[in-house]
């Protein structure tokens, strides 16, 4: 399972602040790019490889960071729901 958070499409994963992995098709083949930064502060594409796992490994090699971002985001969502249950219910589309 990926330690990065999958977004609404199968082409974009979110990791730590300022880092993303995107899946692009180059010459008919899936390629995974690791990007540092966003907007005007972009550090650009730091890695291009054949799999999501390879891009994750490249991130770890570049930064030494091994946190599980999917687990961290799930924990933050649970904490937010505990603090603001009505807002969490609204955002999830549940009736209050």
């Amino acid at each position: 399972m990926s330690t990065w958070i999958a977004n609404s499409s199968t082409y974009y994963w979110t990791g730590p602040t300022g880092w993303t992995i995107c899946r692009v098709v180059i010459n008919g083949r899936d390629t995974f790019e690791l990007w540092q930064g966003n907007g005007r502060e972009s550090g650009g594409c730091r890695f291009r490889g054949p799999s999501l796992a390879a891009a994750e490994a490249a991130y770890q090699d570049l930064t030494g960071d091994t946190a599980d971002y999917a687990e961290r985001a799930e924990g933050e969502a649970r904490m937010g729901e505990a603090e603001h249950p009505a807002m969490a219910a609204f955002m999830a589309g549940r009736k209050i």
Side-chain angles (χ1 to χ4, degrees), residues 75-93:
E76 288 171 357
R78 282 195 304 265
M79 298 251 325
E81 187 165 329
E83 292 174 13
H84 306 285
M87 180 57 82
F90 172 76
M91 295 300 286

Side-chain angles (χ1 to χ4, degrees), residues 6-30:
N7 292 281
S8 60
S9 75
T10 59
Y11 291 94
Y12 180 75
W13 292 264
T14 303
T17 302
W19 290 87
T20 57
I21 295 174
C22 62
R23 180 174 67 139
V24 296
V25 179
I26 298 175
N27 295 329
R29 301 179 110 182
D30 283 345

